[in-house]
Amino acid sequence: MAAEPAKVDPMYQFTIEPLFGSENWEIAGFNIAFTNSAMWMLITTVVLGIFVWGGMKRELVPGRWQMAVETFTGFVENMLEANIGEAGRKYVPYVFSLFMFILFANLLGLLPLGIVGLHPFTFTSHFTVTGILAAISFSIVLIVGFWKHGFHFFSLFVPHGTPLPMIPAIFLIELVSFAVRPFSLALRLFVAMMAGHVLLEVLSSFVIDGTNAGAHFGLLVGLPSFLLMIGICALEILVAGIQAYVFALLTSLYINDAENLH
Amino acid sequence: MPQIAQLAETFSSQIFWLLVFFGIVFFVVGRGMVPKVMGTVAQRDSQIGSDLAAAEAARAQADEEEEAWRKRENENRAAAQALVAKAKADAAASSEKKLAAAQKRLDKKLADAEAAVAAARTSALAEIEGVAAEAAQDIVQRLAGVSVTAASAKKAVKEAMSNG
């Protein structure tokens, strides 16, 4: 997708390109090219690994780094304990990985590396990625639910005190709302990340095109757009954290349904 | 929208690499490192808890020891006061006894002295009587030329003295 130099294509940033001539890598007929998306997954994994590794000094009196890592583990642990209870502790590794992976991906994708010629890629703005993560969370819910409660798990779809004649209708409605969960989980993150990045790109195109069109436009359009962009950037950092939190929180709420029914 | 436009050609690579890297994150970071970090936190919490408990126990023991010390102190004070009171009483008793003895001695000395004075007076009086009787005998002889016997002179003197 070759964007013309004078124009800024706000969707171009989401383009996936194979790197290192790997476009023909295949497993069982499926293409597994090492793309820029995979590259940023690797970067996210490495950065996250380094971050958590730095918190493993196991000192009695923690340093700043250890404190930061312990804050995150404590945060996830508290969230799970508040939503699921004592049984929630065993999900800390998964929910922590999920939360931190999404958070680091969102934040790394926001880095202004374009200044030094690199192109940051936010893989959480692809529904293939968020969809897989949501599917993993939802599979855990289903597996835990049926493992723990067997077919009794279906009682999740009939809330307490439902009048008998209403049960079929309520069951259907609850089943649909349950089945929609992985999609809403995936789409929420994907849409939030994509919208933010598109907005930033559109505003930056206003700045560039406005300034190129002359001093008047530069002052009238470029400068306000630039100021707005600064604000939106701060907002996007907030959204990066909030969306990671929402994803982890909803996952823990759904696991709670599977653990405890209701 | 590349997410849709490129879906057919990229979905398998997206899914594959996501599973690879998220798997690495889950097994290395989530399963490997996070429990250790949480273990450190739990260890610190238990350390703090036991330290607090030890401090609490030490405080309780200090309170207990202070209580015991106070009790002992009170006992000692009471004993000391009893000792002082006893010593005071003893001292008072012994000084009273000494005073009584001294008083007795003084009384005896006084009585002796009084007896001596009385004896001296009687002997003096007897001497004065004798002298007066002799003087009366002499005077009577010289004035009246009558010689009186010593006995009658003595009798007269005694009468005069007891009258006078």
Side-chain angles (χ1 to χ4, degrees):
Chain A
M1 210 181 276
E4 287 159 45
K7 270 194 197 161
V8 181
D9 176 7
M11 301 313 282
Y12 178 70
Q13 57 178 327
F14 302 117
T15 310
I16 295 173
E17 287 161 342
L19 299 176
F20 317 123
S22 63
E23 58 264 39
N24 291 322
W25 290 5
E26 280 188 4
I27 282 185
F30 289 106
N31 181 287
I32 54 152
F34 191 81
T35 59
N36 50 352
S37 173
M39 186 66 194
W40 282 88
M41 291 179 199
L42 172 65
I43 292 171
T44 302
T45 304
V46 169
V47 172
L48 176 56
I50 291 171
F51 174 71
V52 179
W53 175 78
M56 291 217 308
K57 293 194 210 76
R58 322 211 65 175
E59 280 166 15
L60 188 61
V61 180
R64 292 176 191 199
W65 196 325
Q66 194 182 343
M67 201 70 205
V69 176
E70 283 172 6
T71 306
F72 278 112
T73 59
F75 169 70
V76 171
E77 194 186 355
N78 285 340
M79 183 173 73
L80 285 170
E81 211 158 303
N83 288 321
I84 305 178
E86 205 43 44
R89 286 173 155 271
K90 59 175 170 288
Y91 301 106
V92 169
Y94 174 68
V95 177
F96 180 83
S97 306
L98 191 66
F99 173 64
M100 296 302 274
F101 194 65
I102 296 173
L103 179 66
F104 273 54
N106 292 351
L107 290 176
L108 288 171
L110 277 174
L111 288 181
L113 294 177
I115 294 170
V116 293
L118 292 171
H119 182 72
F121 183 89
T122 317
F123 59 82
T124 43
S125 63
H126 277 254
F127 59 77
T128 37
V129 171
T130 61
I132 293 298
L133 291 176
I136 295 172
S137 286
F138 199 66
S139 317
I140 289 176
V141 170
L142 288 179
I143 291 167
V144 168
F146 282 111
W147 187 279
K148 276 199 73 158
H149 305 289
F151 283 105
H152 194 60
F153 184 54
F154 284 112
S155 73
L156 186 64
F157 305 133
V158 184
H160 287 299
T162 312
L164 200 64
M166 293 298 289
I167 283 182
I170 294 283
F171 184 87
L172 262 176
I173 292 169
E174 289 279 327
L175 182 63
V176 168
S177 95
F178 184 76
V180 158
R181 282 173 177 185
F183 299 102
S184 72
L185 200 55
L187 288 176
R188 186 180 294 112
L189 176 59
F190 148 66
V191 165
M193 294 322 293
M194 192 188 74
H197 282 261
V198 168
L199 185 56
L200 286 178
E201 198 82 8
V202 168
L203 285 173
S204 68
S205 82
F206 285 174
V207 176
I208 295 167
D209 292 345
T211 313
N212 284 345
H216 289 5
F217 282 107
L219 276 178
L220 207 66
V221 179
L223 193 63
S225 297
F226 186 69
L227 293 177
L228 186 59
M229 229 179 123
I230 295 173
I232 301 280
C233 276
L235 188 69
E236 279 307 301
I237 294 172
L238 189 70
V239 168
I242 287 175
Q243 288 301 326
Y245 173 62
V246 165
F247 204 103
L249 179 70
L250 287 176
T251 297
S252 66
L253 284 175
Y254 297 160
I255 293 175
N256 175 45
D257 280 349
E259 272 281 339
N260 304 321
L261 295 181
H262 62 81
Chain B
M1 196 150 124
Q3 285 96 328
I4 292 170
Q6 292 185 304
L7 185 60
E9 44 182 306
T10 60
F11 80 98
S12 53
S13 112
Q14 289 278 72
I15 292 170
F16 175 77
W17 291 111
L18 177 69
L19 289 179
V20 167
F21 290 121
F22 188 68
I24 292 173
V25 166
F26 176 63
F27 284 107
V28 174
V29 175
R31 301 291 294 265
M33 298 174 172
V34 168
K36 283 182 188 152
V37 173
M38 283 167 62
T40 311
V41 174
Q43 195 186 334
R44 179 181 315 123
D45 285 352
S46 73
Q47 171 99 44
I48 289 171
S50 70
D51 282 0
L52 280 178
E56 184 63 39
R59 202 170 64 95
Q61 201 193 338
D63 280 355
E64 213 168 86
E65 263 165 26
E66 197 197 340
E67 192 57 42
W69 173 82
R70 201 183 296 281
K71 208 170 145 203
R72 218 167 46 235
E73 192 67 12
N74 284 344
E75 272 167 14
N76 285 350
R77 184 166 297 146
Q81 268 166 0
L83 213 62
V84 167
K86 190 167 170 289
K88 242 183 215 166
D90 280 1
S94 87
S95 70
E96 207 164 289
K97 218 156 90 189
K98 262 186 203 153
L99 273 176
Q103 190 68 44
K104 220 162 147 192
R105 228 171 31 242
L106 281 176
D107 285 353
K108 194 165 164 280
K109 241 183 205 168
L110 210 60
D112 283 359
E114 268 171 6
V117 166
R121 193 156 74 191
T122 357
S123 74
L125 272 176
E127 221 165 287
I128 285 169
E129 255 178 44
V131 172
E134 269 170 36
Q137 241 175 323
D138 265 5
I139 290 164
V140 168
Q141 195 165 12
R142 279 200 201 152
L143 288 181
V146 185
S147 156
V148 278
T149 61
S152 61
K154 212 174 224 173
K155 192 176 164 233
V157 167
K158 218 173 241 174
E159 267 171 20
M161 274 181 82
S162 60
N163 286 342

